[in-house]
Amino acid sequence: MYFNVKIADVIIGVNYKYDYTFKVFSDYIVSNELTPAFTVNVTDEMIEFERKVNEKFPPSLVENIAVFRYIAKEVIKNYNCILFHSSAIAYDDNAFLFTAKSGTGKSTHVKMLANADSKISYVNDDKPFIRYFENENKFYVYGTPWMGKHNLGSNVRVPLKAVCFLTRGETNSITKVNPLDYLNEIFTQTVKPNEVNSVDSFTNVISALTTNVDFYLLKCNLHDDAPLTSLNGMIKKYAK
Amino acid sequence: MSDKILKINDGFILRSVKGADGDEKFVVITVGEASKKLNGMITLNSTSVFVWKMLEKGATRNEIITAVANEYEVETSVVENDINELLDKIIKYGVVNG
């Protein structure tokens, strides 16, 4: 079975076996008349790999993850596009990525933010793609079908304004930082290439990110006023 | 030991990442089998980058120690221990054929 999807402005063909895969991609499906930039053919090996990673889930449930993994590696190669594990939100058509080690409280903080201001919407709460357009010298953040366990996000694209590293703190504070001091964090949260011939485009995208996008460090607690720190100290500064 | 030519193994790739003020940092990215030995990335300081570039072409311990000493205009005895320690570490992590 076959469908075309449009993810991160790339038309991708998907040859698939299980209905669940179609369901996962449904918001991103586009006409079969369009010519795909590349096609994903799911193999038994790809499915077995995902079953090992995902606690032996049945093939029907992991096929979409196998497709996603293939897409993530392919778009690094030719489309200046990388997957950045983060919670991506939008405010006034500006996107912000919140990223942190697992268990730090990133999703909680972003949820509090979304509740604090109705102008905030989710782009993707878990696995957005970010894509660099050299002609515009600009990054866009994209919704994808993989939006975390609460399915927060939608099929949108929003210009990226800043990346915010989140850590726990006794009090709330936010400061602009030099991204070159946080390369470890950036590399931990991005899906890296596994082929030599993708390394250059990956590092070019990372360099474009660290050169053109603002980076912040947020130290926050879980008090009710925590979201005001990122709202006033970062997000509203870019408001139009 | 000192005469053996040391070379970076396949899959360990040195690149640089630039910042907004024109500064840059050197990182090593692993691909393929190398990523099983070293997951993630390492940042290198300027001395390590100098040593790395020699290892890309292949060099003996003595050649590296001498070159670093010349670069910094000091005696080899000043840098010998630190360079040997650096080389031992990267051999241990499978970055270089030891």
Side-chain angles (χ1 to χ4, degrees), chain A residues 190-203:
Chain A
T190 49
V191 170
K192 286 167 282 300
N194 62 358
E195 299 170 7
V196 173
N197 57 7
S198 298
V199 168
D200 282 338
S201 53
F202 177 75
T203 41

Side-chain angles (χ1 to χ4, degrees), chain A residues 5 7 12-14 21 24-25 38-43 45-57 61-77 81-83 85 126-127 129 144-146 188 190-195 198, chain B residues 35 39:
Chain A
V5 287
I7 293 187
I12 301 164
V14 179
T21 300
V24 167
F25 280 93
F38 61 89
T39 299
V40 185
N41 297 304
V42 182
T43 63
E45 287 77 20
M46 286 161 72
I47 295 215
E48 261 323 290
F49 178 88
E50 297 305 334
R51 294 189 74 211
K52 282 182 191 151
V53 172
N54 293 287
E55 298 169 355
K56 297 280 183 191
F57 281 179
L61 290 188
V62 301
E63 183 185 49
N64 76 92
I65 307 173
V67 173
F68 151 76
R69 199 182 294 277
Y70 187 99
I71 291 174
K73 297 289 188 189
E74 196 64 24
V75 294
I76 293 174
K77 234 191 284 187
C81 183
I82 58 178
L83 192 119
H85 281 280
D126 186 30
K127 293 179 173 59
F129 277 115
T144 71
W146 307 279
T188 304
T190 49
V191 170
K192 286 167 282 300
N194 62 358
E195 299 170 7
S198 298
Chain B
S35 58
N39 197 13

Side-chain angles (χ1 to χ4, degrees), chain A residues 178-184 187 192-196 199-200 202-203 206-208 210-212, chain B residues 11 13 15-21 23-32 39-41 43:
Chain A
N178 182 348
L180 295 192
D181 295 332
Y182 289 84
L183 285 181
N184 235 330
F187 275 68
K192 286 167 282 300
N194 62 358
E195 299 170 7
V196 173
V199 168
D200 282 338
F202 177 75
T203 41
I206 298 291
S207 271
T210 51
T211 309
N212 295 302
Chain B
I13 302 171
R15 288 292 181 270
S16 76
V17 176
K18 299 192 175 32
D21 298 327
D23 48 351
E24 103 186 295
K25 266 205 177 150
F26 284 89
V27 298
V28 173
I29 295 169
T30 53
V31 295
N39 197 13
M41 59 129 246
T43 45

